[in-house]
Amino acid sequence: MNLHLCQKAYVHMLMDENPLICSCHNITLNQILEVFPESKDKDFELTDMISKIKQQTGASTGCGSCLSKVEGITQCYALKPEIFTGQ
């Protein structure tokens, strides 16, 4: 997800559509979002969260082509966690 797309309306549209992010392991956006904490604390580390997503979902552990999507989603959450809650 390009960071310029990190807008509430766009993110909510994607959450409703629940697109496939990782085709190797059949992981959708909402499965990745389930890994994120309910609220981002001050110790949130981008690389730690990406590792946690890989470990819990398997996303980006196959061919690796979805890594940029996983990174973009995680960066968007890190910048604006509030847009991922509620609708």
Side-chain angles (χ1 to χ4, degrees), residues 15-86:
M15 289 168 67
D16 288 341
E17 291 179 1
N18 195 26
L20 187 66
I21 301 298
C22 175
S23 58
C24 291
H25 299 289
N26 202 33
I27 303 300
T28 63
L29 173 63
N30 290 337
Q31 288 173 294
I32 289 172
L33 296 180
E34 288 174 6
V35 178
F36 292 141
E38 295 224 3
S39 61
K40 188 184 89 165
D41 64 14
K42 61 183 169 78
D43 296 326
F44 181 89
E45 289 290 331
L46 204 60
T47 53
D48 292 343
M49 184 53 60
I50 292 169
S51 294
K52 188 174 179 181
I53 290 167
K54 288 179 176 183
Q55 184 179 48
Q56 289 187 16
T57 68
S60 80
T61 62
C63 74
S65 67
C66 65
L67 180 58
S68 63
K69 292 178 188 176
V70 171
E71 289 172 339
I73 294 163
T74 307
Q75 288 171 346
C76 184
Y77 176 82
L79 290 172
K80 299 180 182 180
E82 69 278 359
I83 66 176
F84 290 90
T85 59

